[in-house]
Amino acid sequence: MKPKKGKENPNSAISSPSREAYRRQLAETFNMNRSRILAFKNKPPAPVELIPQSHSSSTCSLNQPKLAKPRRHIPQTSERTLDAPDLVDDYYLNLLDWGSSNVLAIALGSTVYLWDALNGSTSELVTIDDENGPVTSVSWAPDGRHIAIGLNNSEVQLWDSTANRQLRSLRGGHRSRVGSLAWNNHILTTGGMDGKIINNDVRIRDPVVETYRGHTQEVCGLNWSASGQQLASGGNDNLLHIWDRSMASSNSATQWLHRLEEHTSAVKALAWCPFQGNLLATGGGGGDRCIKFWNTHTGACLNSIDTGSQVCALLWNKNEKELLSSHGFTQNQLTLWKYPSMVKTAELTGHTSRVLFMAQSPDGCTVASAAADETLRFWNVFGAPEVAKPAPKAVREPFAQLNRIR
């Protein structure tokens, strides 16, 4: 599949017979040797740890007492690089997610692969038929076991990754591809190219419980606040909306809390601050290049920084007041910013094309980045938690009542 032609995918329609022939040859090669998918791009150094410490959910650093807080060392190169052939180069999609069970999901063409960060094993979850694919979004449920998969044909599939079986399909809500997904406990929110945002209660037979109408073009970013009260949505119409669940109505399209028009290009990158519940960071596309910060209670724009290039993704550090952004042309870099000063702490290079997607490990230490250069890189960028975190609360099972559906 060619990526959708759009202002953030300027070269999507450019293709030559020789390039297509080369891609076909590549595809045949990968079909003959599928073991290369999510394999090491470069031969790893020997000896190599079977289970790298940075992917352990218990710790990211040596467990030794610290007399004073030293300046954190930030490695400038990726810890490992995996092949990701057929990763669709489309700014508007969301093809990477790291679940709470420490398993990374990535969509490569019409196939969803699972990479277990604890042992480095790779498995294929599902390959979608050509007429329904490719996969346009993936998102883990809070339990880290169930995963939602958005498709090019407007369908959303729900899978049990442990049993390796499909549980149900959500059909009819959207008229075109579903490029963005976000969970809020048992509510799965879907965003489509049709501009619609739908809240689906996955426990019930007729899942649609709310519809949000505000975008006039493709919804390319969705993110629920930690409280589950506010939803941020970004679109190719350059709009950012904040929706509040207390205003939700199942009888008619719900009105937004804030409609924010300051970005001048598509808004895909959305990240809620982990230490301030009403602080949202957003990133604009190639015609905007800005990271903006918002008070979502008042709708006020608190700050705006011109990064100089397309902002593809944003992640907050869970342990320090820092923000990580990923970018396109010209440097295709990851930039670490100190908040609120927005002083650059580090610039991480290695990708040779725009860094479309980022995902954070459950312990908050490691970031995975996937780029149009068809590689997946892992960065030990966020360091170690300062103190041991308390045991997490039991996550509510979003599919607990699914077996009652007939």
Side-chain angles (χ1 to χ4, degrees):
M1 166 199 165
K2 294 178 183 177
K4 178 179 82 77
K5 179 68 173 174
K7 60 192 176 189
E8 303 302 330
N9 298 327
N11 300 316
S12 59
I14 298 175
S15 182
S16 64
S18 61
R19 178 176 172 81
E20 288 301 317
Y22 173 67
R23 288 196 67 83
R24 280 197 301 272
Q25 184 179 354
L26 266 183
E28 290 170 7
T29 301
F30 285 124
N31 283 332
M32 288 186 293
N33 183 15
R34 295 184 71 83
S35 63
R36 285 200 59 204
I37 294 174
L38 297 189
F40 278 104
K41 177 88 175 164
N42 302 309
K43 196 170 183 179
V48 64
E49 290 178 285
L50 181 64
I51 304 176
Q53 277 194 336
S54 62
H55 297 310
S56 167
S57 59
S58 59
T59 182
C60 305
S61 64
L62 296 175
N63 293 320
Q64 56 188 20
K66 297 177 183 179
L67 299 176
K69 186 177 177 181
R71 180 167 180 168
R72 190 172 91 249
H73 171 66
I74 302 170
Q76 298 297 298
T77 56
S78 56
E79 184 180 353
R80 64 169 66 189
T81 304
L82 305 181
D83 277 306
D86 298 325
L87 181 75
V88 178
D89 179 10
D90 193 325
Y91 177 88
Y92 303 101
L93 306 184
N94 292 275
L95 304 179
L96 183 71
D97 196 25
W98 204 328
S100 61
S101 294
N102 214 7
V103 176
L104 189 83
I106 186 170
L108 302 178
S110 292
T111 303
V112 176
Y113 292 94
L114 305 180
W115 184 80
D116 191 324
L118 290 175
N119 58 28
S121 64
T122 302
S123 60
E124 179 181 321
L125 178 65
V126 59
T127 295
I128 304 299
D129 295 338
D130 288 343
E131 61 266 26
N132 298 325
V135 176
T136 50
S137 52
V138 294
S139 182
W140 285 103
D143 61 6
R145 171 173 176 167
H146 300 95
I147 188 169
I149 301 171
L151 302 182
N152 193 56
N153 72 342
S154 78
E155 182 181 335
V156 177
Q157 295 185 357
L158 303 180
W159 281 74
D160 181 334
S161 66
T162 304
N164 216 71
R165 66 186 182 95
Q166 184 179 342
L167 298 176
R168 69 181 298 183
S169 292
L170 308 179
R171 296 187 182 94
H174 293 280
R175 298 190 304 272
S176 50
R177 73 179 187 181
V178 179
S180 51
L181 301 166
W183 287 91
N184 186 359
N185 290 320
H186 55 271
I187 298 294
L188 172 62
T189 304
T190 60
M193 188 188 281
D194 54 13
K196 279 202 299 185
I197 299 169
I198 298 175
N199 284 344
N200 301 273
D201 187 335
V202 298
R203 304 169 302 176
I204 60 179
R205 181 189 294 273
D206 298 318
V208 177
V209 290
E210 283 120 20
T211 300
Y212 299 158
R213 298 180 188 270
H215 290 283
T216 58
Q217 295 185 43
E218 181 162 20
V219 179
C220 49
L222 287 174
N223 202 337
W224 281 99
S225 64
S227 68
Q229 190 61 33
Q230 291 189 332
L231 173 72
S233 68
N236 192 37
D237 50 11
N238 309 347
L239 294 176
L240 168 67
H241 286 102
I242 307 298
W243 312 84
D244 196 289
R245 285 223 71 191
S246 63
M247 301 170 63
S249 168
S250 58
N251 299 323
S252 61
T254 299
Q255 181 74 12
W256 55 80
L257 178 64
H258 300 295
R259 181 186 183 99
L260 305 168
E261 304 179 9
E262 280 83 340
H263 280 293
T264 57
S265 194
V267 184
K268 176 193 176 184
L270 307 168
W272 290 93
C273 177
F275 52 83
Q276 188 173 331
N278 64 330
L279 176 61
L280 175 72
T282 61
D288 179 270
R289 307 181 304 276
C290 290
I291 297 174
K292 295 182 186 294
F293 297 90
W294 309 87
N295 179 330
T296 61
H297 290 342
T298 65
C301 184
L302 306 175
N303 195 9
S304 181
I305 301 293
D306 189 340
T307 68
S309 59
Q310 181 183 54
V311 183
C312 300
L314 292 170
L315 287 175
W316 287 94
N317 187 342
K318 297 176 181 177
N319 311 306
E320 303 271 355
K321 291 187 176 181
E322 294 174 335
L323 182 71
L324 184 69
S325 56
S326 74
H327 298 271
F329 183 81
T330 58
Q331 294 188 61
N332 309 305
Q333 84 281 14
L334 282 68
T335 301
L336 185 65
W337 309 83
K338 195 72 180 171
Y339 184 84
S341 66
M342 292 306 285
V343 172
K344 289 183 185 179
T345 305
E347 288 207 326
L348 310 177
T349 57
H351 283 295
T352 56
S353 296
R354 59 182 179 171
V355 188
L356 292 162
F357 318 113
M358 290 197 299
Q360 192 171 8
S361 61
D363 60 19
C365 301
T366 305
V367 169
S369 61
D373 59 13
E374 298 189 337
T375 65
L376 179 63
R377 292 177 180 263
F378 294 84
W379 311 83
N380 186 17
V381 62
F382 284 152
E386 284 300 301
V387 294
K389 295 180 179 178
K393 296 178 182 177
V395 178
R396 274 179 277 179
E397 170 63 78
F399 293 85
Q401 301 176 28
L402 195 59
N403 58 356
R404 302 179 194 173
I405 297 174
R406 292 291 180 266

